């Protein structure tokens, strides 16, 4: 019974404490400090162009989904070998 009373008192106190200090705040974003965000055209080195959002008027990128090896399926799997393989190859072991 004592726990129930303590919990009830705590609930009433916490509700009062939360609501008593609350102020009505109606703030909006500050004006004239944010960059302008607009739709821009991105141009890839391969010649592909696509629209995206940015704060810059024009974007130039080095690689895009049209020419990236992961998306084109023309990945090169290079088997570089480790230090041991290079040592064995160097000394003919």
């Amino acid at each position: 019974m004592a726990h129930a009373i303590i919990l009830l008192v705590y609930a009433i106190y916490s509700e009062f404490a939360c609501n008593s200090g609350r102020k009505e705040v109606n703030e909006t974003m500050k004006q004239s400090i944010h960059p302008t965000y607009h739709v821009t055209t991105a141009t890839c080195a391969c010649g592909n162009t696509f629209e995206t959002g940015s704060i810059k008027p024009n974007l130039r990128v080095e690689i895009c989904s049209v020419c990236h090896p992961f998306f084109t399926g023309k990945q090169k799997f290079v088997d570089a070998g480790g230090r041991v393989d290079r040592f064995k190859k160097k000394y003919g072991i």
Side-chain angles (χ1 to χ4, degrees):
M1 184 70 177
H3 286 301
I5 294 173
I6 292 172
L7 289 175
L8 181 64
V9 170
Y10 178 75
I12 293 170
Y13 173 75
S14 63
E15 183 68 27
F16 174 76
C18 289
N19 289 336
S20 64
R22 187 176 297 169
K23 295 179 182 178
E24 290 297 322
V25 178
N26 189 11
E27 291 184 17
T28 58
M29 289 177 37
K30 292 183 179 180
Q31 298 297 318
S32 71
I33 64 167
H34 301 284
T36 56
Y37 184 82
H38 49 280
V39 177
T40 185
T41 303
T43 305
C44 179
C46 70
N48 184 33
T49 59
F50 54 94
E51 288 187 350
T52 187
S54 177
I55 59 171
K56 294 185 178 185
N58 292 317
L59 292 175
R60 295 195 49 84
V61 293
E62 295 176 6
I63 197 158
C64 67
S65 62
V66 174
C67 60
H68 193 279
F70 179 79
F71 297 107
T72 60
K74 298 178 183 176
Q75 281 183 299
K76 294 180 186 176
F77 292 103
V78 178
D79 187 19
R83 291 183 181 180
V84 175
D85 293 333
R86 282 187 279 158
F87 178 81
K88 288 180 179 179
K89 184 179 178 182
K90 182 177 179 180
Y91 293 107
I93 298 175

